[in-house]
């Protein structure tokens, strides 16, 4: 499974890249707005940090024509930029046009399996079901991911990767792995947490304490 960081914070991305095992980054307008910086310079800096891994940057236009123009411009900023397009009818028109121009898209705000199939059919390179937000309304977000895996398998869809998004805790990451999802995009805090276990720290401390007692004999 690939790990993407779901953040627009360059310090977090720098730390994640130094830790290794980061395969890409996803952003959205909310995450970019939190940084209080210009969109273009933020995305360019992220793209440099994570290259050659992909960086998803989202359009904010609402018509296919405007989305396509915005996507063309954003995709010029760096080779590894993927355009995030919302799962609306205009968005799917844009995805079809962008796919013919070899501009990679990540269809976002996916909440049901039917939407994922339409996105793949339109030519999306990635599809992003929002697990946490589905859980928030009392349904099972991972069940939707499971359904998407099954349906993509039924139709032998290989060119569209599934990104488990809106992950809120390490158990979501575990469930994504068990389902065999292609990619999990996680906030930096969760990425740090999945490296850790209290018994690892306790065990390491004990090893080092014991070593301290005998090190002169070695
Ligand atoms: O990748 C999608 C993600 O940014 C949304 O997460 O926590 O706002 O539902 P959340």
């Amino acid at each position: 499974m690939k790990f993407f960081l779901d953040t627009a914070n360059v310090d977090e991305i720098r730390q994640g890249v130094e830790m290794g095992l980061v395969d890409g980054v996803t952003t959205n307008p909310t995450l970019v707005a939190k940084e209080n910086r210009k969109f273009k310079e933020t995305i360019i800096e992220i793209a440099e940090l994570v290259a050659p891994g992909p960086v998803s940057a989202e359009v904010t236009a609402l018509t296919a024509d405007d989305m396509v123009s915005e996507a063309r411009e954003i995709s010029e900023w760096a080779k590894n930029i993927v355009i995030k397009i919302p799962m609306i009818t205009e968005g799917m028109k844009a995805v079809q046009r962008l796919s013919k121009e070899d501009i990679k898209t990540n269809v976002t705000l996916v909440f049901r399996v039917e939407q994922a199939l339409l996105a793949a059919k339109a030519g999306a390179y990635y599809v992003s079901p929002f697990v946490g937000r589905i859980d928030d309304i009392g349904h099972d977000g991972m069940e939707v991911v499971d359904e998407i895996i099954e349906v993509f398998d039924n139709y032998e869809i290989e060119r569209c990767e599934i990104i488990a998004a809106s992950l809120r805790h390490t158990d979501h990451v575990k469930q994504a792995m068990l389902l065999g999802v292609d990619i999990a995009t996680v906030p930096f805090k969760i990425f740090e947490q999945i490296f850790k276990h209290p018994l690892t720290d306790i065990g390491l401390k004990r090893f080092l304490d014991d070593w301290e007692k005998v090190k002169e004999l070695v």
Side-chain angles (χ1 to χ4, degrees):
M1 186 173 78
K2 285 179 262 185
F3 281 109
F4 288 1
L5 289 180
D6 193 31
T7 178
N9 183 289
V10 291
D11 291 333
E12 290 182 347
I13 293 165
R14 194 171 290 114
Q15 286 179 65
V17 168
E18 276 168 15
M19 285 155 80
L21 311 175
V22 170
D23 301 291
V25 167
T26 50
T27 69
N28 62 38
T30 306
L31 293 171
V32 175
K34 263 199 221 163
E35 300 307 310
N36 223 0
R37 295 181 57 192
K38 291 213 166 82
F39 178 53
K40 182 173 177 178
E41 68 171 34
T42 308
I43 296 299
I44 290 174
E45 194 175 342
I46 294 172
E48 276 169 15
L49 281 171
V50 81
V55 179
S56 290
E58 189 159 341
V59 297
T60 49
L62 290 175
T63 65
D65 283 345
D66 292 347
M67 284 182 196
V68 168
S69 314
E70 210 182 328
R72 284 183 187 140
E73 192 198 326
I74 296 171
S75 63
E76 288 292 312
W77 299 343
K79 282 196 177 114
N80 51 334
I81 290 178
V82 172
I83 306 297
K84 241 183 177 183
I85 304 273
M87 178 62 227
I88 57 177
T89 50
E90 287 298 301
M92 293 314 94
K93 291 185 205 167
V95 168
Q96 291 169 72
R97 286 165 57 185
L98 292 168
S99 131
K100 285 188 192 126
E101 296 180 23
D102 284 329
I103 294 178
K104 287 182 183 166
T105 54
N106 172 1
V107 172
T108 186
L109 292 167
V110 166
F111 295 93
R112 56 203 295 189
V113 62
E114 300 93 311
Q115 293 178 313
L117 184 73
L118 290 175
K121 204 169 151 76
Y125 199 82
Y126 300 104
V127 64
S128 294
F130 274 28
V131 175
R133 292 195 196 182
I134 298 172
D135 290 357
D136 289 346
I137 59 160
H139 295 276
D140 182 351
M142 267 314 155
E143 198 175 303
V144 175
V145 174
D146 197 13
E147 287 169 354
I148 297 171
I149 292 172
E150 185 179 335
V151 168
F152 280 17
D153 195 41
N154 287 347
Y155 294 102
E156 296 176 4
I157 295 169
E158 281 168 6
R159 68 191 187 290
C160 181
E161 290 192 282
I162 303 164
I163 305 180
S166 180
L167 302 184
R168 303 275 172 73
H169 43 72
T170 55
D171 207 50
H172 271 153
V173 179
K174 182 173 93 177
Q175 290 166 31
M177 288 173 178
L178 289 171
L179 290 179
V181 79
D182 302 300
I183 300 153
T185 189
V186 292
F188 182 65
K189 194 176 74 174
I190 296 181
F191 187 64
E192 284 186 305
Q193 284 169 357
I194 55 180
F195 278 77
K196 293 179 186 165
H197 192 284
L199 289 178
T200 307
D201 297 336
I202 292 166
L204 179 61
K205 183 175 180 321
R206 191 177 300 161
F207 285 155
L208 295 179
D209 288 349
D210 289 344
W211 187 249
E212 198 59 33
K213 289 178 210 154
V214 296
K215 72 175 180 197
E216 278 124 39
L217 306 175
V218 179

